[in-house]
Amino acid sequence: MTTHTTTPPARLSDAAVIPLRTLDPAAALDDLEWLDETIGNARVVAIGESAHYNRESYDLRHRLLRYLAERHGFGAYAMETGYTEGWRADAWVRGGNDDRLGEVMAGGLTSLMGLWRQMGSHLEWMRRHNASAERPVGFYGIDLGGQNASPTPALDAVLAFLAQADPGFEADPAIRETASAFSATSPFVAPATMAAYAQLPPETKNALTAGLAGLAARMKGRRLEYVRRTTAEAYERALRSMHHAFTLDSVIRGMTGGDHQSVLYNRDAEIADTVEEILRRHDRIVLAAHNAHIQRGPAVLPGMNPVTPMGMHLADRLGEDYLVIGTTSGTGHMLNSDAAAFMAGTLFAPMPAPEPGSLDALMHESRVGTFATDLRRLSPADADAVRSATVQRAGLGAFYAPVSALDAYDIVVHLPHVTGADPDETALACSPQEVREVFSHYKPH
């Protein structure tokens, strides 16, 4: 008897393809109406990206936020940027301060996330929407802040809160002095920040960790007193900043000590807790982060064992209330993984067509143009095709991470050609000198 083997198709069927007419955030939204049934009652809709700083990722998130806020009442946009610093952007989109937009973009978002015109347009839309909307949309950072290299911004927020909530208490000044010895104003100085921390005497590092632990315990134990003297919201925000400062201390220890595995575990667990804290204020939120953070399956980086990302924590806690939209990409330019070239101003590098056998290649071969695929409504043949794509572009040069897309995502949006976002001159003018220097050498493709 002859045994026949069936090779899964190299493309999805037309039935699996949902065309998206445009990525223009200001365009009509009727081509997104298929989302109504898909979203259902989900409380968190997470939107991924293959790499940071791509124009098309910013525009996709902006457009989806518009739809979810206007049609479904989502009241918060939570983004992979510093939590404490994000308070400034939140105040601006709610009309609560008179800062210039460039100042907000440079100081209210971290890790270069706010330095792009597409992000500025996003914030401007939120402020216009909030001026007349019955249900305003708040802005939240979810990440550790301090460029993921310094606890100083979070610690300063804690100390400012304690000065109001606990006026008789004087924190050990050595805590702030030690933290300020390795402050980071941008990702470009983060390597020097790590080197400065590594040179601290062990007893100084241990004293910092003990001091942060003592502040965290004091804040936890005196909650009722602190809330009575301030507000519940002020307390919760300060406590979250305290958690971030303490976690950042462990992250920096791990980075300088070579324990990168623990760095990823601790960071993602903390940002998952932050998302859950935001959910205590809002019924429904839009969550924006890298695919590796939002996916339901283990995340893998080059040379490392799998770790538990934020998405696995949220899926465990929220179940069907957590809906995940991953993205794939075809050709174009992506964040440069060559650190020396990046620091010299070559922020983006050419991106070849996706590797055969990858989720990106399957999507890229399935249709010309931008489209979505609902992974929960596939035919058996289309499900087999997705199942056969076992890796996904991770935005780190030529690295492709293992993925089980049917487990990791509910929806995948394919961006056939991605480009670098446009630097915003007003935001750059408000940025630290080293940022202005690097961007002065940047020549967009």
Side-chain angles (χ1 to χ4, degrees), residues 97 110 400:
N97 65 39
T110 63
Y400 280 72

Side-chain angles (χ1 to χ4, degrees), residues 70 135 139 156 190 395 422-423:
E70 292 177 3
R135 180 173 296 184
F139 180 92
D156 283 349
D422 301 311

Side-chain angles (χ1 to χ4, degrees), residues 17 26 52 121 144 252 313 360 387:
V17 170
H52 296 319
S121 297
L144 301 180
I252 296 164
H313 289 286
D360 303 79
R387 199 173 287 114

Side-chain angles (χ1 to χ4, degrees), residues 85-300:
E85 295 88 341
W87 299 354
R88 183 175 186 178
D90 182 56
W92 191 85
V93 300
R94 295 177 187 270
N97 65 39
D98 295 324
D99 290 348
R100 292 179 299 155
L101 177 57
E103 294 171 338
V104 174
M105 294 167 68
L109 290 90
T110 63
S111 303
L112 311 181
M113 292 294 189
L115 301 184
W116 314 93
R117 292 178 192 168
Q118 287 72 26
M119 189 66 227
S121 297
H122 203 159
L123 295 174
E124 286 181 308
W125 174 83
M126 294 175 71
R127 186 171 168 115
R128 289 195 307 271
H129 172 83
N130 289 344
S132 58
E134 181 178 338
R135 180 173 296 184
V137 177
F139 180 92
Y140 295 89
I142 59 171
D143 214 344
L144 301 180
Q147 320 303 328
N148 287 324
S150 168
T152 305
L155 176 60
D156 283 349
V158 170
L159 295 176
F161 172 81
L162 288 173
Q164 180 182 9
D166 199 348
F169 171 68
E170 293 186 11
D172 182 353
I175 300 173
R176 178 63 173 76
E177 291 169 7
T178 301
S180 65
F182 56 99
S183 292
T185 52
S186 77
F188 298 121
V189 298
T193 297
M194 293 293 177
Y197 176 86
Q199 293 171 4
L200 293 175
E203 58 270 21
T204 301
K205 298 175 186 176
N206 293 339
L208 174 62
T209 301
L212 292 172
L215 290 177
R218 185 177 187 89
M219 289 191 69
K220 181 179 179 180
R222 289 164 172 78
R223 175 185 177 276
L224 294 179
E225 293 179 18
Y226 289 176
V227 168
R228 187 168 60 249
R229 292 171 186 160
T230 59
T231 66
E233 180 180 5
Y235 172 80
E236 293 298 336
R237 282 191 166 191
L239 183 64
R240 179 55 46 197
S241 288
M242 184 70 253
H243 289 315
H244 282 209
F246 192 70
T247 301
L248 256 172
D249 180 67
S250 75
V251 163
I252 296 164
R253 276 182 177 267
M255 289 292 290
T256 56
D259 185 6
H260 294 175
Q261 202 84 1
S262 292
V263 167
L264 298 175
Y265 272 115
N266 295 350
R267 178 188 174 197
D268 272 63
E270 189 61 56
I271 60 179
D273 288 348
T274 301
V275 173
E276 196 167 33
E277 190 262 333
I278 296 168
L279 271 176
R280 289 196 284 271
R281 306 185 201 178
H282 297 276
D283 292 335
R284 310 184 85 178
I285 70 174
V286 177
L287 175 61
H290 194 282
N291 286 329
H293 289 301
I294 67 168
Q295 66 187 35
R296 286 197 188 86
V300 179

Side-chain angles (χ1 to χ4, degrees), residues 347-370:
L347 304 183
F348 299 92
M351 184 175 66
E355 286 188 3
S358 67
L359 182 63
D360 303 79
L362 173 67
M363 299 290 283
H364 199 56
E365 293 298 321
S366 296
R367 179 184 172 85
V368 175
T370 305

Side-chain angles (χ1 to χ4, degrees), residues 54 332-338 341 346-352 397 418 445:
N54 280 123
H333 283 79
M334 189 174 281
L335 180 65
N336 199 336
S337 61
D338 183 330
T346 306
L347 304 183
F348 299 92
M351 184 175 66
V418 296
H445 296 277

